[in-house]
Amino acid sequence: MSEKANIGVVGLAVMGSNLARNLASREGNKVAVYNRSVERTNLLVAEHPEANFIAAETIDDFVASLQKPRTAIIMVQAGAGTDAVINQLAERFEEGDIIVDGGNALFTDTLRREKEVSAKGLHFVGAGISGGEEGALKGPSIMPGGSAESYKTLGPILSSIAAIAEGEPCVTHVGTDGAGHFVKMIHNGIEYADMQLIAEAYDILRQAGSFSPSEIADIFSEWNKGELESYLIEITAEVLKQVDAKTGKPFVDIVLDQAGSKGTGVWTVQTALNLGTPVSGIAEAVFARSLSSQAAQRNGAPQLATGTTAWKIEDKKAFVEDVRKALYASKIVAYAQGFDAIRAGAKEYNWNINLGNVAKIWRGGCIIRAQFLNRISDAYGKNENLLSLLFDEYFQKAIDSSVSSWRSVVAHSSLAGIPNPAFASSLSYFDGLRAERLPAALVQGQRDFFGAHTYKRVDLDGVFHTLWSGDRSEIETTPSSH
Ligand code: 6PG
C-alpha cells in the first residue's frame, strides 16, 4: 500500500459516514473506512469518489492501512457492538496505538474499557461527540477523554473537524479515561432540561396566552435574537412553524405527545443521585418524558378534580416577557446544576476538568450550543472554584431581573393547572439554595427519633443523639457507633 491513513473510522452508519466524510474533507487527513458489511463501505466510497478514503474490506486490511500510531474511531451502536470492535482492534493494534470510542457510551463502561485496553499497552479514548448527523458532517463539539499522550496525536485530528466558535475549535482534552463520556452525558442531561423548559414555555404561551403554534414560533424567533439565543430555541421555532401536509394542521398537533429517550438523561440523573448532586431540573425533564409515555394512566386521569383558577392576562406583551424571563432563569439553574455535576464527577473520579473550557467547547457544534455559554465560560474562567454559576455576577444580575416574573409564571401556571415541573423545580432549587434555614433540621430530628441516626448542633461541635424513648436527654456520640 502506498500512502497510509492517519485516521480510521469503523462503523459507517449515518454518524460514522458523516464523521468519515468530515475527516476526509480536511487537509492533511487520509481516512481508512471499514464497516462490518462491505456494501456500506463500497456505497460510501462510490458516493464520494472525491473523498480521501482508503476502503478496507476486512478488519485486517483496515489495520494495515493505518500509519503509526494507528488511530481508529469506532462509530457503532453503544453496547456489545462497541466491545466487539474494541476487541478486534485490540488484537491487532500494537503498543502506542489509539482506539477511540465516538459513541454515546456510559462513562463507567469507558472506565472499564480504558483499563482493559491500556493493560495491553494501547490507548483508549472515550470521546463524546455532539451535534447529530449534521454536526458529524460539518463540525461537531467533541469531548475526548483518555491519556494526555494520546491527545497529542488525536488533538490535531479532532481539531481539524470540530465546529469553530469564536475562532476556536470546539474540542478540548476534557480529562483522563472516562471524563469525555462523563461530560457528554451531562451535556445530554442539560439538553433534556433545556428542551423540557422550552416545551413548558410553549405550553404556557399556548394554554394561558392562547397563542397559536405559528405565533409562538414568531415569539421564539424573537427570543432567539436576545440572551436566549441558542440552537434549541431556533429549531423550536422551525418545528412550531411546520404544518402537516396531510391535514393542514400544525405539525405539533399531529405528533403523539409521548416523548422517547435513549437513556443518556436517565444516566445523568442516576449518576448525580450517586454523587449526591441535585440535578432537579434534569430529573424533572426525564420524569416529564416518562409521565408523557404513561398512556394508560393518562387516559384514566381526566376525571380527576381540577381546582384551577383561570389565568387572566391583561397585557399579553408583559405576559410573554414574563415567560421569557422564567425560561431564562430556569435555564440558568439547569446549567448551574449540570456544571455542579461535572465538578462532583471530577472530584469522585479524579479528573482535572476545566469547567470554563467545557463551556467553551459547547459554544458551537453541539445540541445545547448557545450564546450564553460565553458567559458561563467567562464565569468559570474568572473563578474556577465558583461555588455555583448562580453566584457569578452576570448570572446574579440575570436572575435578579427575572425572579419576580419567574415566580409569577410558576404560581399562575400552577393555579391554572398547567404542568410546569421543570420551571417549578428550578425555582424551588433556587429558593432552597437561598434559604437561611432549611427544614432539613426537622428531617434530622425525625431520623434521630426512629433510627438514632444522630445529628449535629448549630452551636457545638460533635455528633449527638437524643434518648427519645428515655428521658429525652442528649448524649454526645460518634457516627460510627450507630
Ligand atoms: C447530541 C445528542 C445526541 C442524541 C441524543 C438524543 O449531543 O448530538 O445529544 O447524542 O440526539 O442522545 O437523546 P434521546 O433520544 O435520549 O432524546
Side-chain angles (χ1 to χ4, degrees):
M1 196 169 304
S2 50
E3 202 195 339
K4 293 205 176 196
N6 62 323
I7 180 80
V9 177
V10 181
L12 302 175
V14 185
M15 284 294 286
S17 301
N18 283 1
L19 200 78
R21 285 173 57 198
N22 187 354
L23 282 160
S25 72
R26 312 292 166 153
E27 209 176 321
N29 288 338
K30 192 164 184 73
V31 187
V33 286
Y34 170 73
N35 193 73
R36 201 165 46 158
S37 63
V38 72
E39 292 76 24
R40 212 182 260 268
T41 315
N42 292 341
L43 190 69
L44 174 68
V45 174
E47 280 178 353
H48 303 283
E50 77 295 345
N52 212 357
F53 287 140
I54 300 178
E57 285 201 7
T58 66
I59 192 84
D60 288 315
D61 289 349
F62 176 75
V63 171
S65 68
L66 291 168
Q67 73 185 35
K68 292 210 66 167
R70 298 182 185 90
T71 308
I73 306 181
I74 301 172
M75 296 296 291
V76 304
Q77 207 162 24
T82 306
D83 281 311
V85 178
I86 291 170
N87 289 338
Q88 282 185 314
L89 291 176
E91 277 168 22
R92 294 163 174 84
F93 273 17
E94 293 166 329
E95 196 165 335
D97 290 349
I98 304 164
I99 300 175
V100 184
D101 174 13
N104 259 337
L106 180 58
F107 76 98
T108 45
D109 285 339
T110 306
L111 290 175
R112 168 182 58 80
R113 289 167 178 152
E114 203 273 341
K115 259 206 188 92
E116 289 165 4
V117 172
S118 63
K120 295 177 180 157
L122 312 175
H123 296 285
F124 183 76
V125 177
I129 300 181
S130 177
E133 294 170 12
E134 193 173 312
L137 182 62
K138 296 185 179 157
S141 170
I142 313 177
M143 293 147 256
S147 65
E149 200 193 325
S150 62
Y151 197 69
K152 282 186 203 150
T153 305
L154 203 55
I157 298 171
L158 297 181
S159 297
S160 76
I161 57 163
I164 302 286
E166 320 245 334
E168 293 174 272
C170 293
V171 57
T172 188
H173 181 226
V174 174
T176 50
D177 51 58
H181 275 146
F182 183 91
V183 165
K184 174 59 170 54
M185 175 188 75
I186 303 293
H187 164 283
N188 280 30
I190 295 174
E191 172 185 307
Y192 271 57
D194 211 339
M195 291 167 74
Q196 173 66 21
L197 290 168
I198 292 172
E200 288 178 20
Y202 150 78
D203 203 26
I204 293 167
L205 290 171
R206 187 139 189 214
Q207 289 203 51
S210 304
F211 289 106
S212 68
S214 74
E215 286 169 331
I216 302 173
D218 292 341
I219 292 171
F220 277 107
S221 297
E222 201 50 42
W223 288 357
N224 203 36
K225 294 179 190 154
E227 53 199 359
L228 277 171
E229 186 197 329
S230 62
Y231 172 70
L232 284 171
I233 293 275
E234 181 192 325
I235 65 161
T236 302
E238 292 296 321
V239 173
L240 288 172
K241 251 186 247 160
Q242 180 74 8
V243 173
D244 175 48
K246 281 200 186 73
T247 58
K249 290 184 183 166
F251 165 82
V252 73
D253 287 346
I254 58 94
V255 177
L256 192 67
D257 57 345
Q258 296 177 17
S261 68
K262 294 198 199 76
T264 48
V266 174
W267 293 347
T268 305
V269 179
Q270 285 171 333
T271 303
L273 285 171
N274 289 339
L275 292 169
T277 305
V279 291
S280 44
I282 300 171
E284 288 298 348
V286 174
F287 287 136
R289 291 197 194 184
S290 315
L291 173 67
S292 77
S293 301
Q294 301 294 331
Q297 275 188 339
R298 288 179 59 202
N299 285 338
Q303 78 280 13
L304 296 176
T306 65
T308 52
T309 307
W311 187 346
K312 290 199 189 74
I313 293 157
E314 269 134 36
D315 181 344
K316 274 204 164 188
K317 218 170 151 200
F319 161 75
V320 170
E321 184 59 2
D322 281 343
V323 177
R324 187 190 70 79
K325 286 180 171 173
L327 173 56
Y328 189 46
S330 304
K331 180 170 161 140
I332 294 170
V333 167
Y335 282 69
Q337 294 182 339
F339 277 89
D340 282 354
I342 296 178
R343 179 178 282 148
K347 187 160 178 244
E348 176 72 18
Y349 294 97
N350 255 323
W351 295 317
N352 183 13
I353 300 180
N354 182 310
L355 299 181
N357 286 349
V358 170
K360 269 191 175 178
I361 64 165
W362 286 351
R363 291 177 305 176
C366 66
I367 304 296
I368 64 169
R369 61 185 180 261
Q371 181 60 34
F372 94 144
L373 280 156
N374 273 314
R375 300 294 187 170
I376 300 182
S377 157
D378 289 349
Y380 287 114
K382 264 190 290 176
N383 179 7
E384 178 67 11
N385 298 317
L386 191 63
L387 276 178
S388 167
L389 196 57
L390 297 169
F391 303 158
D392 172 72
E393 206 187 327
Y394 173 84
F395 290 107
Q396 265 190 45
K397 280 195 189 136
I399 299 272
D400 197 43
S401 61
S402 308
V403 67
S404 57
S405 296
W406 196 11
R407 292 193 191 287
S408 161
V409 168
V410 169
H412 280 103
S413 299
S414 301
L415 284 170
I418 304 169
N420 62 116
F423 272 20
S425 88
S426 307
L427 181 57
S428 261
Y429 170 86
F430 171 75
D431 282 329
L433 209 57
R434 266 185 347 97
E436 210 171 298
R437 290 274 298 158
L438 286 171
L442 179 58
V443 172
Q444 284 296 78
Q446 293 163 332
R447 293 176 68 240
D448 192 56
F449 189 101
F450 64 68
H453 292 301
T454 74
Y455 53 89
K456 288 183 179 170
R457 295 182 57 103
V458 294
D459 51 354
L460 293 172
D461 284 340
V463 178
F464 300 90
H465 166 56
T466 292
L467 300 170
W468 296 100
S469 55
D471 62 3
R472 302 211 165 183
S473 61
E474 182 181 68
I475 54 166
E476 190 166 356
T477 179
T478 54
S480 58
S481 66
H482 288 275

